[in-house]
Amino acid sequence: MKILVTGAGGYIGSYLSTRFVADDYDVYILTRRLPTFTIDGVKRLILADVTNKQQLDQRLPKMIDAVLHLATANNVWCGRDPKQTMVNNWEGTQNIINWCIKKGVRRFVYFSTLQVYGKELRGVISEKSPVQIEDEYALSHFVGESVANLYSKVPKLDINILRLVNVMGCPIDKTVDRWTLVPNCFCKGILKTKGVHLQSSGLQNRDFVTLDQVYRSTKKILKKNNKNRKIYNISSGQTYSIIDMARFVADQTEKKYGSRIKVSTGLDLPKKANKFIVTSDLNKPVKRFHQTRLIKQEIEKILDLVGDSND
């Protein structure tokens, strides 16, 4: 299968590209600028802006079976330039889908966020749960989803939307700039600081999936035959507090380096943990002991990546 990964210079896009290459897919990657790292084995690296129709028409390959669309703004970029984020997620998504239609691409996958259901989730969250937009980042992705929805009745184009929970795991290179994510941010510099200090109480609960779980879910999607637009939550079905993740990092660091690591908290807010569970029509819930093991394995890989210097 020939796949095009947009946003392949990013955290998730670069990882998916690497994994699909390893699984003998023909992978074409699209980025706005030349990455600081290389992804060996790709068929072609394409430099283009998804908001520029002319660049897409001139530079993209003629024959593609599926597009994984990750050329959307992350929360950091959105915070810096929310207006451009909206333009990128609307026009960029529309341009890529129109290109898919012209070239006869059979599958289009839009990577969204669970935050379209709200910021501090409670209760059971399923694909049928109502959308509750509470910030510009969630709005930007709902805009992208809405564009995909406009094309959901196009014949011979299967459109899928993946709403990701918090994604964690080791990036393919140190220079992949997502060190603001939990627990990545805890790992970087931990040996120098000898601790993890949280600005909050750390009681906020989150559902975390690994990059590998995102890959496996995406691969499953590419093998499905959906006639109409389909939304899937990509979740583990388990929740961990922020302080849980900090302690996992501290434990793995102590195990690896023998250094005593202190975990401390700042403000006493929130005072209570938000309790919720995210269900998925695509994947079964993961047993807690198994998900914990996967998370700790990824933390160990991140610590290996940042190395002894922890710079």
Side-chain angles (χ1 to χ4, degrees):
M1 178 181 284
K2 297 180 180 180
I3 63 174
L4 170 68
V5 181
T6 72
Y11 179 57
I12 300 174
S14 59
Y15 182 87
L16 293 182
S17 300
T18 301
R19 290 296 302 274
F20 277 110
V21 166
D23 265 359
D24 294 326
Y25 284 72
D26 292 337
V27 179
Y28 298 78
I29 60 174
L30 182 150
T31 65
R32 286 189 305 148
R33 59 179 66 90
L34 194 66
T36 54
F37 51 86
T38 58
I39 301 176
D40 295 330
V42 298
K43 293 297 181 181
R44 193 195 309 172
L45 186 156
I46 303 149
L47 296 179
D49 189 328
V50 293
T51 63
N52 189 315
K53 294 180 183 179
Q54 186 176 8
Q55 287 184 2
L56 297 180
D57 288 337
Q58 292 176 348
R59 301 176 188 179
L60 291 184
K62 294 181 180 180
M63 298 293 293
I64 289 291
D65 298 306
V67 171
L68 309 181
H69 185 46
L70 295 112
T72 53
N74 60 41
N75 59 329
V76 176
W77 183 18
C78 181
R80 292 171 182 165
D81 195 344
K83 183 177 179 180
Q84 184 57 41
T85 295
M86 299 300 172
V87 172
N88 183 83
N89 287 17
W90 176 272
E91 290 188 7
T93 302
Q94 187 174 49
N95 289 345
I96 289 291
I97 293 179
N98 280 327
W99 178 84
C100 288
I101 294 170
K102 285 193 295 184
K103 300 300 181 180
V105 177
R106 300 299 302 273
R107 289 181 175 86
F108 175 85
V109 184
Y110 180 86
F111 288 76
S112 185
T113 173
L114 200 78
Q115 289 189 36
V116 297
Y117 297 118
K119 294 185 71 173
E120 295 300 323
L121 304 177
R122 299 185 186 280
V124 178
I125 307 298
S126 73
E127 285 86 351
K128 295 180 181 179
S129 296
V131 168
Q132 185 173 330
I133 304 301
E134 296 182 351
D135 61 17
E136 291 170 328
Y137 176 63
L139 177 60
S140 71
H141 270 295
F142 189 64
V143 164
E145 289 189 15
S146 299
V147 173
N149 187 43
L150 290 174
Y151 293 87
S152 62
K153 301 300 182 182
V154 173
K156 298 182 179 180
L157 177 62
D158 294 338
I159 293 180
N160 294 277
I161 296 169
L162 306 187
R163 290 175 173 169
L164 307 181
V165 299
N166 291 63
V167 180
M168 62 83 60
C170 186
I172 69 166
D173 190 87
K174 272 186 182 182
T175 60
V176 177
D177 189 17
R178 288 305 276 135
W179 293 102
T180 57
L181 296 174
V182 173
N184 301 27
C185 59
F186 300 153
C187 296
K188 194 170 186 181
I190 192 170
L191 289 180
K192 290 182 178 179
T193 60
K194 301 296 183 184
V196 178
H197 179 70
L198 306 180
Q199 299 298 317
S200 67
S201 66
L203 296 178
Q204 309 95 312
N205 277 323
R206 301 287 184 265
D207 187 330
F208 290 89
V209 292
T210 66
L211 286 165
D212 176 69
Q213 288 172 310
V214 175
Y215 167 71
R216 292 177 185 276
S217 297
T218 306
K219 191 174 179 180
K220 190 182 295 186
I221 285 292
L222 293 181
K223 293 181 178 180
K224 292 181 73 69
N225 185 21
N226 294 320
K227 294 182 179 180
N228 296 312
R229 176 186 62 93
K230 183 67 177 177
I231 295 174
Y232 294 104
N233 294 335
I234 306 303
S235 61
S236 71
Q238 301 293 338
T239 58
Y240 299 85
S241 68
I242 300 301
I243 200 166
D244 285 338
M245 300 298 285
R247 287 169 178 158
F248 288 161
V249 172
D251 290 345
Q252 293 302 111
T253 304
E254 290 179 3
K255 179 181 176 181
K256 183 176 180 63
Y257 295 106
S259 301
R260 292 283 296 174
I261 303 297
K262 180 181 179 181
V263 176
S264 59
T265 58
L267 300 174
D268 60 350
L269 295 175
K271 293 184 179 294
K272 293 183 179 180
N274 55 317
K275 296 182 179 181
F276 69 94
I277 183 170
V278 182
T279 64
S280 172
D281 288 342
L282 184 67
N283 299 317
K284 295 179 180 179
V286 183
K287 297 289 186 182
R288 187 170 184 83
F289 77 90
H290 182 61
Q291 190 64 17
T292 301
R293 181 168 60 86
L294 293 177
I295 289 172
K296 289 183 176 181
Q297 286 174 348
E298 287 300 321
I299 290 172
E300 187 174 357
K301 292 177 185 177
I302 298 169
L303 291 172
D304 285 339
L305 179 67
V306 297
D308 293 344
S309 63
N310 261 250
D311 52 15

